[in-house]
Amino acid sequence: MQIPVRNLWLLQFFASEMFRKDGYALVARESAPDDLPELIGRILADEVSQRLHRGLSVGFRAVARNERRVRGRINQLTTERHQLLSRGQVNCTFDEIVTDIPSNRLVRAALERAAVLVPQDPRYRSLARQMQAVGVHGPCPRLADVPHLRQQRLLQQDRTMLAVAELLLTFAIPTTDTGDRYLPLPARDDGYLRRLFEHAAFGLYRHHLAPAGWRVKHGPTQQWDVTNISPGMRAVLPSMQLDIVLQHPDAEGRGPRRVVIDTKFTSVTKAGYHRATTLSSGYVYQIYAYLMSQAAAEGNSPSEGLMLHPVVEGHFDEEVVIQNRRIRFATVDLTADGWQMADEFLSAVSPRQGHSPIE
């Protein structure tokens, strides 16, 4: 499957620090693709909005000033020299909680950069002003210090936000154009691409669906609904290894929803014996086994299955309901631009237009 180099790196971006916790591998380029500033800017804006809602990370700054009550350590010499006690004051040195720390300055600078790169969206400038309003005023730290910031234990919840901010400020994305920095291309073997496609899907679902109350699991195991088993079988019966599972207790107000996703890096259809094209029977059996193995425990809330395949310049999105379980086969075009790729990942788990959830 021939995938543009730029889109290979976009898949790495979807699977990277901006969506997960494993660090990212994007490198410098003079001019970024037109859609990438908006793509990264939206991710940064989403992260900053959440952090402002929960509260920004804070630090401590040593200050010395006159107070009407004792805070920290009293500076006796200064207090006596200025006769502060007669005015009901003492001069104290203490640690003050502040939001004006290097990590927050970096993010504010990135928002201001996004406002320049995507001038039609006022959200970035608004968020930058909100950060100023809560006390983030200082200059942007050196970009060379960003890796150190991401390693700080107290900033673990800011790792995604810091990584996106760094990317916006450096615009580090790869290219095959001539330059002065050389890095290996992402591997093109099928095993690597299949894992990359799976991790990109997980990264996108985690980033977009988790804030909406979804639980997004990567690589969970699922046991068979066993009613009786011989002594020797328990030692050799394998569990089922799933790629991605999405769960919501009340999706769109229609009750619980569970989607089992299996990613493949093969064509969604193939030539058939008695028809021009057909789905792979092995894939149908596989997703059917995943779903039906849990039938007894799920009751009136059956899981849905999704087989997610890549395509090059094409589209496929069809589904079938078998024994009250919806099974969907959908594709993602790996030659599309960044936002179209992201939208196709997300639309594959959205209810199809005109199809209500299974009753």
Side-chain angles (χ1 to χ4, degrees):
M1 184 176 292
Q2 294 298 316
I3 306 172
V5 171
R6 171 180 171 273
N7 284 19
L8 281 175
W9 286 101
L10 279 175
L11 285 176
Q12 287 223 6
F13 172 74
F14 293 154
S16 69
E17 175 74 38
M18 276 60 76
F19 294 94
R20 303 195 303 126
K21 300 295 184 184
D22 296 339
Y24 64 96
L26 300 177
V27 293
R29 176 179 179 179
E30 289 295 327
S31 58
D34 293 339
D35 63 325
L36 202 57
E38 184 180 4
L39 173 68
I40 303 169
R42 287 191 191 182
I43 297 168
L44 177 64
D46 290 343
E47 291 289 332
V48 174
S49 296
Q50 293 178 37
R51 295 299 293 125
L52 285 170
H53 179 72
R54 299 195 305 264
L56 295 174
S57 296
V58 297
F60 297 91
R61 178 176 58 194
V63 297
R65 65 168 178 250
N66 300 339
E67 295 284 333
R68 292 194 175 276
R69 61 184 179 87
V70 176
R71 296 183 64 183
R73 177 171 56 84
I74 298 176
N75 298 320
Q76 295 183 350
L77 181 60
T78 304
T79 300
E80 290 294 333
R81 179 183 298 166
H82 297 283
Q83 299 182 356
L84 296 178
L85 290 176
S86 62
R87 289 178 280 169
Q89 296 180 339
V90 289
N91 186 270
C92 301
T93 297
F94 54 91
D95 290 333
E96 186 177 52
I97 298 176
V98 294
T99 57
D100 191 23
I101 59 177
S103 59
N104 291 337
R105 295 176 195 165
L106 178 82
V107 172
R108 181 179 60 81
L111 288 169
E112 293 171 348
R113 175 63 175 163
V116 174
L117 295 172
V118 191
Q120 67 273 18
D121 192 339
R123 187 183 182 193
Y124 309 119
R125 199 169 300 279
S126 173
L127 288 170
R129 289 173 178 170
Q130 289 181 51
M131 294 194 73
Q132 285 183 319
V134 297
V136 183
H137 302 290
C140 179
R142 297 186 312 144
L143 293 177
D145 296 333
V146 175
H148 173 68
L149 293 177
R150 291 207 307 269
Q151 294 172 3
Q152 292 184 22
R153 181 176 58 84
L154 296 179
L155 297 179
Q156 291 302 300
Q157 59 187 341
D158 292 339
R159 287 180 62 189
T160 298
M161 186 171 66
L162 293 175
V164 185
E166 181 188 14
L167 181 58
L168 259 174
L169 291 172
T170 60
F171 248 109
I173 103 161
T175 178
T176 54
D177 299 338
T178 302
D180 57 0
R181 297 178 63 184
Y182 298 91
L183 290 179
L185 289 174
R188 290 179 177 268
D189 62 275
D190 289 345
Y192 172 84
L193 293 175
R194 189 246 181 249
R195 293 191 300 274
L196 178 60
F197 185 68
E198 174 187 333
H199 282 80
F202 169 65
L204 274 162
Y205 293 140
R206 177 183 176 275
H207 176 77
H208 287 278
L209 299 182
W214 288 82
R215 293 181 62 192
V216 183
K217 299 180 181 179
H218 182 231
T221 57
Q222 182 170 280
Q223 303 299 323
W224 298 95
D225 183 18
V226 175
T227 56
N228 193 15
I229 189 169
S230 64
M233 177 60 75
R234 189 176 300 278
V236 297
L237 181 66
S239 60
M240 288 174 280
Q241 181 78 35
L242 309 180
D243 286 350
I244 302 168
V245 175
L246 311 179
Q247 290 179 280
H248 197 290
D250 190 19
E252 302 177 359
R254 297 174 178 174
R257 188 177 178 210
R258 180 174 183 265
V259 184
V260 177
I261 303 174
D262 197 84
T263 57
K264 302 295 183 184
F265 208 79
T266 58
S267 175
V268 65
T269 59
K270 64 179 182 178
Y273 290 109
H274 304 293
R275 62 184 79 175
T277 58
T278 182
L279 294 171
S280 170
S281 59
Y283 295 162
V284 178
Y285 301 157
Q286 178 183 0
I287 196 69
Y288 177 80
Y290 286 164
L291 300 179
M292 296 307 297
S293 68
Q294 309 300 302
E298 292 178 335
N300 296 325
S301 302
S303 295
E304 305 170 34
L306 170 63
M307 300 296 290
L308 195 59
H309 293 251
V311 293
V312 173
E313 297 179 348
H315 182 68
F316 186 92
D317 187 0
E318 301 295 340
E319 65 181 33
V320 61
V321 178
I322 302 176
Q323 293 181 268
N324 205 36
R325 277 154 179 79
R326 193 183 304 281
I327 302 176
R328 187 170 180 175
F329 288 78
T331 60
V332 175
D333 186 357
L334 297 188
T335 62
D337 61 36
W339 273 117
Q340 183 179 339
M341 287 173 59
D343 287 343
E344 290 186 0
F345 274 112
L346 295 172
S347 65
V349 297
S350 301
R352 284 166 55 90
Q353 188 173 2
H355 290 246
S356 61
I358 300 170
E359 299 295 337

